[in-house]
Amino acid sequence: MRCPLSSHLKKALPPFVSFLLFFSLLELANRLNLISSQLLPPPSQLWVTFVSMFSDFKEAFLQTSTSVSVGLILSALLGISAAVAFSLSPILRRAILPFAIFFQTVPIIAIAPLMVIYFGFGQPTVVASSLIVSIFPVIANTLIGLENVSRGKLDLFQIYHANRWQTLWKLRWPSAYNSIYAGLKVACGLAVIGAIAGEFVAGGGLGAMIDSARTQQRIDIVFVCLFLLSSLGLFLVGALRLLNYFMQTHFHYGLTLKD
Amino acid sequence: MISLQNVSKKFDSLSVLRHVNLEIQPGEFLTILGPSGCGKSTLLRLLAGLEKPTEGELVRPKNNLNFSFVFQDSELLPWRNIEENILLPLELTLKKESSGQLEDILSLVKLSSFKKYYPHQLSGGMKMRVSIARALMTNPSLLLMDEPFSSLDENTRFEMQDQLLHLQKTKKISIVFVTHSISEAVYLSDKVQVFSSREGCSIFEQKILFDGKRNDEIRLSGTYNNYVTMLSQKMKQAVIPFQTGDANALPS
């Protein structure tokens, strides 16, 4: 019989080993003066910086993660609601969707200064920036999922005279689940990118810390911020996977769309 | 009960059905037999009201006809268990289940112990039985079936055919069954209509009569083989115009 613990270990071992190997080589290359610590600081130096400036990092991390979480939650709520509205009304879709595409194609760094003018310096601008960057994949994926329902199943609902709401909640919505999940996964990474771009111009959080470290040539601070950001991204994806597990076990959503 | 009078159906310039006349009697098992692309499925969709005829008329009884549809793929909802899938038509039509109805239908299709299972846990034959059970939940007087057994292996198919005949007798329902399997049509039907391959129209009608009950022994009888041979010949004729491209060469 397979032991579940050993199967988890088997999954976790390869990334853990490659991670360890990479940092050992980096440390070794620095000690042997093969790489300049001004370009790639050794992991031991990063750890020292992290411990000595822990309270600064903690505050910045909490600020950024709050902005990212709020931006992501708003993007999920607004994005999914917009896609549902678009799927119900083709006129609304034609009227509004071009604006969503506009926000997707204009680089966030170009509109972030505008956000500062509208929302001022600080968290509201960061949240808005995170939302603008991450909402498009949620809208697009949800819309694709809601519309990608087999003709046979739609016929079945039509035969029993299902109304639009019944078709939406009992057929389109569960059918779209996998697609929505994929959109949210993409949005997790984008929400972090949007928040950092927002913090570059509006201040606060890890983004502002990176910006100020850049002016002081403190590359070690930049790297610690980058690790904290990637761990934030990993945490968000992990939380989403947990939610997905809950939806699969309790609602049987997304298990298999082919019956 | 329900009839098509001189019905034609076109999708843009593509003619799919041409001057079809069809009448379904109460309790009758009618099979539409024809090669792929002859408009069999479109005919069922017309009967179900999923398509409107381009010409001709669909005559239904004055009191709204209660019918159900069984699709080629079972079209079960994977996030609902078997019980929830079977109850779907009642949920959509906002009707209440009469006491014991679900249990009766589950035992009729031999799935009583599987009601809490999910579709991905069932075999192809079981999924089709769930699909039939779902169709029976609204107590239909007409069942429209679009090649329901085409993806099943032969043993399961034979078993499903027997169960379907049993259901029809028990529930006293009319069935319009679409297939391209000649042997299936002969075994199941009271009447077979053969459709031509292009611009589908009925080219031949045959009543099927056997002495005694339909069972595996029937498949070995001379009468059964005669029907199969005759319908095979008609099916060959049905395909000829499509192959030669001469639509006027339809057999009369």
Side-chain angles (χ1 to χ4, degrees), chain A residues 117-133:
Chain A
I117 296 168
Y118 296 149
F119 300 110
F121 286 97
Q123 222 160 15
T125 296
V126 181
V127 170
S129 166
S130 173
L131 166 70
I132 288 170
V133 176

Side-chain angles (χ1 to χ4, degrees), chain A residues 150-153 155-162 166 170-171 174-175 251-253 255-259, chain B residues 45 50-51 67-69 71 74-79 88-89 91-94 118 120 127 134-135 138:
Chain A
S150 81
R151 181 177 158 177
K153 289 189 176 68
D155 284 346
L156 176 76
F157 273 62
Q158 198 184 334
I159 282 167
Y160 294 114
H161 308 291
Q166 285 177 318
K170 290 181 195 288
L171 178 63
S175 298
F251 296 101
H252 290 86
Y253 278 8
L255 275 180
T256 162
L257 286 181
K258 282 215 162 279
D259 50 301
Chain B
R45 292 175 62 80
L50 293 169
E51 304 281 355
F67 70 92
S68 278
F69 205 112
F71 297 88
S74 49
E75 299 297 355
L76 303 179
L77 306 183
W79 52 88
L88 180 75
E91 236 176 272
L92 295 179
T93 49
L94 306 175
Y118 281 81
H120 69 272
K127 281 185 214 169
R134 178 179 63 190
T138 50

